[in-house]
Amino acid sequence: MTEASAVLAQLESVGPYFTVQHGERPDPEGFRTLSDLYGTDGADAPDGDGTGGPLGAYVRLYARRMGTDQLRVAASTLQLGLASRLWSVALGAAVLAGRLPDLAPDRLRVRLTGEGPLELWLPERVLAPQGPQQDHPAGAVVAAVGLAHLRPFHTVLRARYGLSPHTLWGNAASALVGAVRVLNGRRPDAEARTTSLAAAVLESEPLAGSGDFIVEEGLGFAFLRNSCCLYYRIPGGGLCGDCVLRHPRNSRPAR
Protein backbone atom coordinates (compact mmCIF):
# COMPACT_ATOMS: atom_id res chain seq x y z
CA MET A 1 0.00 0.00 0.00
CA THR A 2 1.37 3.41 -0.94
CA GLU A 3 1.60 6.23 1.61
CA ALA A 4 -1.23 8.08 -0.14
CA SER A 5 -3.44 4.98 -0.02
CA ALA A 6 -2.69 4.58 3.68
CA VAL A 7 -3.77 8.18 4.34
CA LEU A 8 -7.03 7.67 2.42
CA ALA A 9 -7.68 4.41 4.28
CA GLN A 10 -7.32 6.19 7.65
CA LEU A 11 -9.87 8.76 6.52
CA GLU A 12 -12.30 6.06 5.40
CA SER A 13 -12.19 4.54 8.89
CA VAL A 14 -13.64 7.76 10.36
CA GLY A 15 -16.85 7.82 8.33
CA PRO A 16 -18.50 8.74 5.02
CA TYR A 17 -17.88 12.49 5.19
CA PHE A 18 -14.15 11.82 5.50
CA THR A 19 -14.02 9.22 2.74
CA VAL A 20 -12.53 9.91 -0.68
CA GLN A 21 -13.03 7.13 -3.18
CA HIS A 22 -9.78 6.50 -5.03
CA GLY A 23 -8.19 4.58 -7.85
CA GLU A 24 -9.98 3.12 -10.83
CA ARG A 25 -13.71 2.62 -10.54
CA PRO A 26 -16.34 0.91 -12.72
CA ASP A 27 -18.86 3.78 -12.55
CA PRO A 28 -17.09 7.09 -13.31
CA GLU A 29 -20.18 8.56 -14.98
CA GLY A 30 -21.33 11.85 -13.53
CA PHE A 31 -18.06 12.79 -11.86
CA ARG A 32 -16.45 16.10 -12.84
CA THR A 33 -13.41 17.94 -11.58
CA LEU A 34 -13.90 20.62 -8.97
CA SER A 35 -12.25 23.13 -11.31
CA ASP A 36 -15.06 22.31 -13.76
CA LEU A 37 -17.66 23.06 -11.07
CA TYR A 38 -15.96 26.34 -10.20
CA GLY A 39 -15.67 27.31 -13.84
CA THR A 40 -11.90 27.80 -13.56
CA ASP A 41 -11.21 25.60 -16.59
CA GLY A 42 -13.69 27.43 -18.81
CA ALA A 43 -16.22 24.58 -18.86
CA ASP A 44 -18.96 26.21 -16.77
CA ALA A 45 -20.63 28.45 -19.34
CA PRO A 46 -23.82 29.82 -17.72
CA ASP A 47 -27.13 30.20 -19.50
CA GLY A 48 -28.56 33.63 -20.13
CA ASP A 49 -30.03 33.80 -16.60
CA GLY A 50 -26.69 32.89 -15.05
CA THR A 51 -27.86 29.56 -13.67
CA GLY A 52 -26.61 27.06 -16.26
CA GLY A 53 -23.56 24.85 -16.55
CA PRO A 54 -22.47 22.24 -14.00
CA LEU A 55 -22.82 24.61 -11.04
CA GLY A 56 -26.31 25.66 -12.09
CA ALA A 57 -27.40 22.03 -12.34
CA TYR A 58 -26.11 21.29 -8.83
CA VAL A 59 -27.80 24.36 -7.36
CA ARG A 60 -31.13 23.52 -8.99
CA LEU A 61 -30.94 19.95 -7.65
CA TYR A 62 -30.29 21.30 -4.16
CA ALA A 63 -33.24 23.66 -4.56
CA ARG A 64 -35.52 20.75 -5.49
CA ARG A 65 -34.28 18.75 -2.50
CA MET A 66 -34.99 21.69 -0.21
CA GLY A 67 -38.40 22.49 -1.70
CA THR A 68 -37.50 26.08 -2.54
CA ASP A 69 -37.24 28.29 -5.61
CA GLN A 70 -34.63 30.50 -3.91
CA LEU A 71 -31.48 29.56 -5.79
CA ARG A 72 -29.39 31.86 -3.60
CA VAL A 73 -30.29 29.79 -0.53
CA ALA A 74 -29.69 26.52 -2.41
CA ALA A 75 -26.28 27.79 -3.56
CA SER A 76 -25.34 28.64 0.04
CA THR A 77 -26.37 25.15 1.19
CA LEU A 78 -24.39 23.50 -1.63
CA GLN A 79 -21.32 25.51 -0.68
CA LEU A 80 -21.67 24.56 2.98
CA GLY A 81 -22.00 20.89 2.04
CA LEU A 82 -18.94 20.89 -0.20
CA ALA A 83 -16.92 22.82 2.38
CA SER A 84 -17.88 20.17 4.97
CA ARG A 85 -16.55 17.38 2.76
CA LEU A 86 -13.32 19.18 1.90
CA TRP A 87 -12.51 20.28 5.47
CA SER A 88 -13.25 16.76 6.75
CA VAL A 89 -10.75 15.23 4.37
CA ALA A 90 -8.00 17.81 4.93
CA LEU A 91 -8.45 18.09 8.70
CA GLY A 92 -8.70 14.32 9.15
CA ALA A 93 -5.60 13.66 7.06
CA ALA A 94 -3.56 16.33 8.86
CA VAL A 95 -4.55 15.04 12.30
CA LEU A 96 -4.39 11.29 11.70
CA ALA A 97 -1.56 11.03 9.16
CA GLY A 98 0.38 14.29 9.19
CA ARG A 99 0.12 14.49 5.38
CA LEU A 100 -2.64 15.46 2.98
CA PRO A 101 -3.65 13.76 -0.26
CA ASP A 102 -3.37 15.97 -3.32
CA LEU A 103 -6.80 17.62 -3.43
CA ALA A 104 -6.05 20.06 -6.26
CA PRO A 105 -9.30 21.17 -7.98
CA ASP A 106 -8.18 19.81 -11.35
CA ARG A 107 -7.40 16.42 -9.76
CA LEU A 108 -10.24 15.91 -7.27
CA ARG A 109 -13.62 14.93 -8.76
CA VAL A 110 -17.13 15.33 -7.40
CA ARG A 111 -20.51 13.76 -8.10
CA LEU A 112 -23.88 14.81 -6.77
CA THR A 113 -26.44 12.04 -6.47
CA GLY A 114 -30.16 12.41 -5.92
CA GLU A 115 -29.74 11.74 -2.20
CA GLY A 116 -26.89 11.81 0.27
CA PRO A 117 -23.69 13.85 0.49
CA LEU A 118 -21.44 14.84 -2.38
CA GLU A 119 -19.18 11.98 -3.49
CA LEU A 120 -15.46 12.70 -3.88
CA TRP A 121 -13.09 10.68 -6.03
CA LEU A 122 -9.34 10.81 -6.61
CA PRO A 123 -8.45 8.74 -9.70
CA GLU A 124 -4.75 9.11 -8.81
CA ARG A 125 -3.60 8.45 -5.26
CA VAL A 126 -0.79 10.90 -4.55
CA LEU A 127 0.14 13.10 -1.62
CA ALA A 128 0.04 16.87 -1.76
CA PRO A 129 3.38 18.46 -2.62
CA GLN A 130 5.17 19.97 0.35
CA GLY A 131 6.32 23.58 0.39
CA PRO A 132 6.57 26.65 2.66
CA GLN A 133 2.80 26.82 3.25
CA GLN A 134 2.72 23.16 4.23
CA ASP A 135 5.36 23.45 6.96
CA HIS A 136 2.63 23.90 9.58
CA PRO A 137 -0.47 21.67 9.62
CA ALA A 138 -2.82 24.67 9.74
CA GLY A 139 -1.08 26.19 6.72
CA ALA A 140 -1.46 22.94 4.80
CA VAL A 141 -5.18 22.69 5.58
CA VAL A 142 -5.85 26.35 4.74
CA ALA A 143 -3.93 26.08 1.48
CA ALA A 144 -5.60 22.82 0.43
CA VAL A 145 -9.18 23.92 1.12
CA GLY A 146 -9.53 27.63 1.84
CA LEU A 147 -7.22 28.88 -0.90
CA ALA A 148 -7.29 26.16 -3.57
CA HIS A 149 -11.03 25.43 -3.43
CA LEU A 150 -13.16 27.89 -1.49
CA ARG A 151 -11.73 31.12 -2.86
CA PRO A 152 -12.46 30.28 -6.53
CA PHE A 153 -15.79 28.70 -5.57
CA HIS A 154 -16.81 31.82 -3.66
CA THR A 155 -15.91 34.02 -6.61
CA VAL A 156 -18.38 32.29 -8.91
CA LEU A 157 -21.07 32.05 -6.20
CA ARG A 158 -20.83 35.77 -5.54
CA ALA A 159 -21.04 36.58 -9.25
CA ARG A 160 -23.93 34.27 -10.07
CA TYR A 161 -26.01 34.10 -6.90
CA GLY A 162 -25.18 37.28 -5.02
CA LEU A 163 -23.86 35.53 -1.91
CA SER A 164 -21.72 37.78 0.27
CA PRO A 165 -18.19 36.90 1.41
CA HIS A 166 -19.48 37.25 4.99
CA THR A 167 -22.03 34.48 4.43
CA LEU A 168 -19.67 32.23 2.47
CA TRP A 169 -16.75 32.35 4.90
CA GLY A 170 -19.18 31.95 7.79
CA ASN A 171 -20.47 28.80 6.08
CA ALA A 172 -16.91 27.60 5.63
CA ALA A 173 -16.08 28.14 9.31
CA SER A 174 -19.27 26.42 10.44
CA ALA A 175 -18.50 23.47 8.15
CA LEU A 176 -15.00 23.17 9.61
CA VAL A 177 -16.35 23.11 13.16
CA GLY A 178 -18.84 20.43 12.13
CA ALA A 179 -15.95 18.31 10.88
CA VAL A 180 -14.19 18.81 14.23
CA ARG A 181 -17.24 17.54 16.13
CA VAL A 182 -17.43 14.36 14.05
CA LEU A 183 -13.69 13.67 14.18
CA ASN A 184 -13.57 14.24 17.95
CA GLY A 185 -16.51 11.89 18.38
CA ARG A 186 -15.00 9.14 16.22
CA ARG A 187 -11.38 9.59 17.33
CA PRO A 188 -11.35 10.86 20.93
CA ASP A 189 -7.69 9.88 21.14
CA ALA A 190 -6.94 12.72 18.70
CA GLU A 191 -9.33 15.29 20.23
CA ALA A 192 -6.65 17.66 21.53
CA ARG A 193 -4.80 17.71 18.19
CA THR A 194 -8.02 18.14 16.22
CA THR A 195 -9.32 21.03 18.32
CA SER A 196 -5.96 22.80 18.39
CA LEU A 197 -5.54 22.51 14.63
CA ALA A 198 -9.07 23.76 13.96
CA ALA A 199 -8.50 26.76 16.23
CA ALA A 200 -5.35 27.66 14.28
CA VAL A 201 -7.21 27.36 10.94
CA LEU A 202 -10.06 29.54 12.20
CA GLU A 203 -7.58 32.20 13.29
CA SER A 204 -5.94 32.22 9.84
CA GLU A 205 -6.98 34.17 6.77
CA PRO A 206 -9.40 33.87 5.08
CA LEU A 207 -11.46 32.47 8.00
CA ALA A 208 -10.30 34.95 10.63
CA GLY A 209 -13.23 36.96 11.99
CA SER A 210 -15.89 34.53 10.82
CA GLY A 211 -17.00 33.71 14.37
CA ASP A 212 -16.03 32.97 17.95
CA PHE A 213 -14.45 29.57 18.60
CA ILE A 214 -14.56 29.13 22.36
CA VAL A 215 -12.57 26.28 23.89
CA GLU A 216 -12.81 25.56 27.61
CA GLU A 217 -10.75 22.81 29.21
CA GLY A 218 -12.96 20.02 30.43
CA LEU A 219 -16.06 21.44 28.73
CA GLY A 220 -15.13 21.17 25.04
CA PHE A 221 -15.82 23.93 22.58
CA ALA A 222 -18.55 26.05 21.06
CA PHE A 223 -18.68 28.07 17.85
CA LEU A 224 -20.83 31.15 17.28
CA ARG A 225 -20.66 32.48 13.74
CA ASN A 226 -20.96 36.13 12.73
CA SER A 227 -23.27 35.46 9.77
CA CYS A 228 -26.22 33.37 8.62
CA CYS A 229 -26.34 30.61 6.00
CA LEU A 230 -29.90 31.68 4.92
CA TYR A 231 -31.40 28.25 5.62
CA TYR A 232 -34.21 29.87 7.62
CA ARG A 233 -35.60 31.24 4.33
CA ILE A 234 -36.83 27.83 3.13
CA PRO A 235 -40.13 26.30 4.29
CA GLY A 236 -39.64 24.91 7.82
CA GLY A 237 -35.97 25.89 7.81
CA GLY A 238 -35.39 27.51 11.18
CA LEU A 239 -32.10 28.77 12.61
CA CYS A 240 -28.91 26.74 12.97
CA GLY A 241 -27.41 26.35 16.43
CA ASP A 242 -24.42 28.59 15.69
CA CYS A 243 -26.33 31.29 13.74
CA VAL A 244 -25.71 34.98 14.44
CA LEU A 245 -29.49 35.49 14.42
CA ARG A 246 -29.75 33.11 17.39
CA HIS A 247 -26.69 34.50 19.16
CA PRO A 248 -26.26 38.22 18.26
CA ARG A 249 -22.74 39.47 18.90
CA ASN A 250 -23.90 42.14 21.36
CA SER A 251 -25.54 39.46 23.54
CA ARG A 252 -22.56 37.12 23.77
CA PRO A 253 -20.67 36.83 27.04
CA ALA A 254 -17.35 38.70 27.24
CA ARG A 255 -14.37 36.45 26.74
Side-chain angles (χ1 to χ4, degrees):
M1 180 182 290
T2 66
E3 188 176 359
S5 297
V7 171
L8 293 166
Q10 285 213 58
L11 290 170
E12 188 174 354
S13 71
V14 179
Y17 261 77
F18 292 75
T19 297
V20 181
Q21 300 164 49
H22 49 89
E24 294 186 9
R25 55 178 304 136
D27 61 337
E29 296 81 12
F31 279 98
R32 60 178 72 251
T33 65
L34 270 297
S35 57
D36 185 4
L37 185 66
Y38 308 152
T40 52
D41 62 1
D44 190 16
D47 295 336
D49 63 355
T51 61
L55 176 58
Y58 277 30
V59 170
R60 289 193 298 275
L61 179 53
Y62 261 70
R64 290 195 296 274
R65 282 185 181 182
M66 298 164 67
T68 182
D69 59 0
Q70 296 194 44
L71 297 184
R72 180 166 170 260
V73 180
S76 173
T77 306
L78 168 64
Q79 180 261 354
L80 204 159
L82 179 58
S84 294
R85 293 287 279 117
L86 294 170
W87 287 129
S88 296
V89 172
L91 181 73
V95 169
L96 301 178
R99 289 291 305 274
L100 272 63
D102 191 341
L103 303 174
D106 60 352
R107 181 185 297 276
L108 183 62
R109 297 171 186 254
V110 64
R111 179 168 68 181
L112 178 59
T113 59
E115 300 292 338
L118 293 158
E119 295 182 80
L120 297 179
W121 173 37
L122 276 172
E124 298 177 76
R125 291 162 285 196
V126 295
L127 294 177
Q130 291 186 297
Q133 262 182 324
Q134 284 74 27
D135 288 343
H136 190 280
V141 172
V142 170
V145 178
L147 304 184
H149 284 274
L150 297 183
R151 273 191 171 165
F153 193 26
H154 292 184
T155 296
V156 68
L157 289 172
R158 289 173 61 189
R160 293 177 59 175
Y161 298 99
L163 290 165
S164 74
H166 199 50
T167 292
L168 292 168
W169 288 115
N171 286 358
S174 184
L176 173 63
V177 174
V180 174
R181 293 189 192 282
V182 175
L183 188 54
N184 282 351
R186 300 290 179 87
R187 291 293 302 268
D189 57 305
E191 182 172 342
R193 296 197 306 276
T194 301
T195 304
S196 175
L197 176 54
V201 173
L202 288 164
E203 291 171 359
S204 305
E205 292 295 340
L207 291 178
S210 56
D212 296 322
F213 188 60
I214 304 164
V215 181
E216 296 189 24
E217 189 172 352
L219 296 177
F221 65 86
F223 179 70
L224 305 175
R225 61 184 286 177
N226 295 333
S227 59
C228 172
C229 71
L230 309 178
Y231 188 72
Y232 76 95
R233 292 175 178 261
I234 71 166
L239 298 176
C240 303
D242 61 0
C243 183
V244 71
L245 300 180
R246 186 185 293 273
H247 307 281
R249 285 195 59 79
N250 59 11
S251 70
R252 298 178 189 177
R255 295 177 60 187

